Amino acid sequence: MNRTITFLVDKQVKKYFVPKWIRYPRNKFTLYGGDNSVPNSHSYFFLEFADILGVEYKVKDYNDEIDDSDFNWYVIPSTPERCVWDTIEIPKIVLNRVQNNKNIRLMYFWPNEGMYQLAEHKLLLEFLEKNKIPLDKFNFLHYPKSDFNQLKIDENSSIDADESIKKTDLEKLKKINWNSENNFLGEQLFTYISLTSTHRPTAELKFKKRNRHFILLNRSISYDSKHVKYFRAYPLARLHSNGLLKKGYFSLINSNNISKKLAIQDFSERSNNLQYQNSFLFLINLSPHKLPSETKESNVTETMNYDPPKEIEDAYFSIISEETRGHGSFQPHLLTEKTWKALYQLNPFIIISTYQHLKFLRTLGFETFPEWFDESYDEIEDDDERMFAVCAEVERLCKLPIEKLHEMYVSIWPKLIRNRTKFLTYNYKELYESWFSYEN
């Protein structure tokens, strides 16, 4: 890259970023902004990423003259996981430059999952139109709800039931640079930085005999007080009901102040199995349930960058619960930290996710585990049926002697090493620089 990346920041905080964002040993949980001595530090972790990856960049006061030979960026201050568009104010001088087609672009930088509700995209459009920001000057590095380039709707129809996004909105959304083809790589980078700064599994794991069949980590089984994350709640309830939850390690860190009555009602609308309903109630009453290695973590968001190494290395395979959002919703494949962690941690895995999730993972060059699991579940289009097939495979493996799993684990060790090596050797520096060029 011949042109220099230049970040434009407030003069009140610019002093903290010279010469480098990281001037002291980095705390392992600063990815969400953990330095209280730095004002609004959570908004500037993109500089921390650049330093870790060895990316060359400059930091300027946004009031200063800009160099037309640079890639000039104003990164919109963000908060963890969500951007509240009606509370954001962009400096007038930055807006004027953007509106007048100066050599500057805006970026919302949060390489993580989020923005699930279509209404959020409408709010984003309203924000851009209110501030008269040209759509092609705005870059968005975050998981959108849908791949807008694939969506097709009629002139008088809308994407969602409340008609919040119509065809005219869709055409506008397509003009925004969503980085939709490599959003999952943002999550991969996020996970790479957090994991490599904490624990690294060793070669001793190959022959280590373990006490549990599986590990299943969950932050929450609900979106809010009444809406259940069925793709997480059902497998846990089914395993508990069938007496197999004791075969593994599991965590359930946050219940989002769930209402038992409303949650049971929501769960029961999807499953009429009374035993599973009772097990789900048990899980709600149990929450929060942390594993011993997790108990020191007090902040829920920190658990995204931390996993309990003791328990992971005492289980033979991982059950990963990504998310199922409905076949045909045109969402990008959701590869979050959950998938990347399993690759890094040298665990074979089975995944509850979207249609053809494994197929997509293989196109990236990673290997999956048909020696362990019947992976035909990946070709099942119906979300519930696909999840049922995953649960059946987990139950089958849980009934095998643990000594058999040990033999199976040793036999796939070379594959586990190849997966981790590929994850660790990806050119993350080049990826980061591509986000802040004008060619994407």
Side-chain angles (χ1 to χ4, degrees):
M1 179 179 289
N2 297 322
R3 300 172 70 178
T4 302
I5 298 172
T6 298
F7 294 114
L8 308 174
V9 301
D10 190 297
K11 64 182 178 181
Q12 296 298 321
V13 295
K14 178 178 179 294
K15 61 182 178 179
Y16 292 102
F17 312 124
V18 179
K20 288 289 184 180
W21 172 250
I22 306 174
R23 292 175 294 171
Y24 307 102
R26 190 170 70 90
N27 183 290
K28 65 181 180 180
F29 293 131
T30 60
L31 296 185
Y32 286 93
D35 188 349
N36 292 328
S37 67
V38 180
N40 299 315
S41 63
H42 62 268
S43 296
Y44 295 94
F45 71 95
F46 61 90
L47 296 176
E48 182 178 8
F49 277 26
D51 286 344
I52 291 170
L53 299 173
V55 174
E56 293 297 321
Y57 65 89
K58 294 188 294 189
V59 174
K60 279 187 176 181
D61 181 340
Y62 59 65
N63 292 291
D64 294 343
E65 290 296 319
I66 59 175
D67 187 339
D68 283 337
S69 66
D70 292 345
F71 294 127
N72 296 292
W73 291 90
Y74 178 79
V75 179
I76 296 172
S78 58
T79 55
E81 296 198 61
R82 290 289 185 271
C83 191
V84 186
W85 299 106
D86 58 355
T87 66
I88 291 175
E89 292 186 8
I90 297 177
K92 288 184 179 180
I93 189 170
V94 174
L95 272 180
N96 288 337
R97 287 171 170 171
V98 172
Q99 293 163 356
N100 290 297
N101 204 31
K102 297 296 182 182
N103 182 34
I104 179 175
R105 290 195 184 185
L106 302 176
M107 166 75 85
Y108 177 67
F109 184 86
W110 194 268
N112 204 335
E113 59 185 291
M115 211 171 189
Y116 294 139
Q117 304 302 317
L118 283 165
E120 293 183 63
H121 299 85
K122 183 172 178 62
L123 293 173
L124 168 60
L125 283 178
E126 291 174 353
F127 166 80
L128 296 174
E129 291 175 356
K130 173 186 174 182
N131 290 282
K132 299 179 180 179
I133 297 170
L135 299 180
D136 60 354
K137 290 280 189 175
F138 183 79
N139 286 46
F140 194 92
L141 189 70
H142 196 44
Y143 267 113
K145 168 74 175 180
S146 300
D147 184 344
F148 296 106
N149 290 320
Q150 292 190 48
L151 277 173
K152 292 181 176 63
I153 55 178
D154 296 330
E155 190 71 43
N156 298 319
S157 65
S158 61
I159 296 176
D160 55 347
D162 64 1
E163 299 187 350
S164 67
I165 295 186
K166 297 186 177 181
K167 187 172 183 179
T168 52
D169 295 325
L170 175 60
E171 294 307 313
K172 294 174 184 176
L173 288 168
K174 287 182 178 180
K175 294 179 181 179
I176 294 174
N177 184 0
W178 293 94
N179 287 298
S180 58
E181 293 183 357
N182 63 10
N183 262 325
F184 65 90
L185 292 174
E187 187 75 48
Q188 181 179 344
L189 168 61
F190 205 99
T191 311
Y192 165 80
I193 290 177
S194 63
L195 289 176
T196 54
S197 66
T198 54
H199 175 72
R200 181 161 182 162
T202 68
E204 296 175 357
L205 289 179
K206 179 178 180 180
F207 298 108
K208 181 180 183 295
K209 293 190 175 180
R210 310 179 185 200
N211 294 301
R212 301 289 176 92
H213 285 60
F214 67 85
I215 185 162
L216 173 55
L217 301 173
N218 300 276
R219 283 209 303 165
S220 174
I221 54 172
S222 67
Y223 294 101
D224 49 38
S225 63
K226 60 182 180 179
H227 295 104
V228 173
K229 293 184 177 182
Y230 191 65
F231 62 93
R232 289 186 186 161
Y234 177 88
L236 281 168
R238 179 166 165 170
L239 283 168
H240 176 264
S241 178
N242 293 336
L244 297 175
L245 206 50
K246 61 187 178 184
K247 292 271 190 171
Y249 292 108
F250 76 98
S251 63
L252 189 54
I253 293 175
N254 181 16
S255 62
N256 285 329
N257 298 314
I258 196 168
S259 163
K260 294 179 185 179
K261 180 179 179 180
L262 295 176
I264 286 293
Q265 180 180 335
D266 192 38
F267 184 89
S268 300
E269 289 175 359
R270 300 284 295 275
S271 174
N272 59 9
N273 186 306
L274 184 59
Q275 288 182 310
Y276 294 174
Q277 293 173 15
N278 290 335
S279 287
F280 177 62
L281 181 58
F282 166 82
L283 292 166
I284 293 176
N285 290 329
L286 184 66
S287 178
H289 173 68
K290 294 185 179 183
L291 296 171
S293 296
E294 291 177 314
T295 54
K296 64 179 181 179
E297 307 306 326
S298 59
N299 188 329
V300 172
T301 60
E302 290 174 351
T303 63
M304 292 183 68
N305 299 315
Y306 178 84
D307 270 340
K310 181 179 177 182
E311 289 83 2
I312 289 170
E313 295 176 3
D314 196 40
Y316 280 109
F317 68 93
S318 294
I319 306 170
I320 301 172
S321 57
E322 284 286 11
E323 179 151 359
T324 58
R325 299 190 209 167
H327 177 57
S329 60
F330 299 102
Q331 75 274 13
H333 285 280
L334 191 66
L335 292 177
T336 72
E337 83 286 348
K338 304 170 192 67
T339 298
W340 301 123
K341 284 177 179 180
L343 289 165
Y344 175 79
Q345 292 156 341
L346 302 174
N347 261 11
F349 51 81
I350 188 167
I351 302 181
I352 300 167
S353 187
T354 51
Y355 172 61
Q356 294 188 334
H357 183 104
L358 294 182
K359 181 179 180 180
F360 181 62
L361 198 56
R362 288 191 290 266
T363 66
L364 302 178
F366 293 100
E367 301 174 67
T368 58
F369 303 95
E371 314 94 321
W372 279 60
F373 314 102
D374 177 358
E375 293 186 341
S376 62
Y377 71 84
D378 194 50
E379 297 298 324
I380 300 174
E381 295 188 16
D382 182 83
D383 287 339
D384 285 355
E385 292 299 324
R386 188 170 56 255
M387 178 177 62
F388 298 157
V390 168
C391 290
E393 280 300 288
V394 170
E395 290 167 349
R396 180 181 65 80
L397 262 71
C398 283
K399 293 174 183 177
L400 293 177
I402 202 162
E403 294 79 11
K404 177 62 176 177
L405 292 190
H406 182 74
E407 293 176 13
M408 293 165 61
Y409 184 88
V410 172
S411 70
I412 61 166
W413 181 257
K415 178 184 288 191
L416 297 170
I417 293 296
R418 289 194 297 271
N419 275 344
R420 185 176 71 173
T421 299
K422 184 170 183 61
F423 173 76
L424 291 175
T425 56
Y426 191 89
N427 194 334
Y428 295 103
K429 178 182 178 182
E430 184 178 280
L431 171 67
Y432 184 98
E433 290 174 338
S434 73
W435 291 334
F436 290 101
S437 73
Y438 290 170
E439 279 74 38
N440 55 21

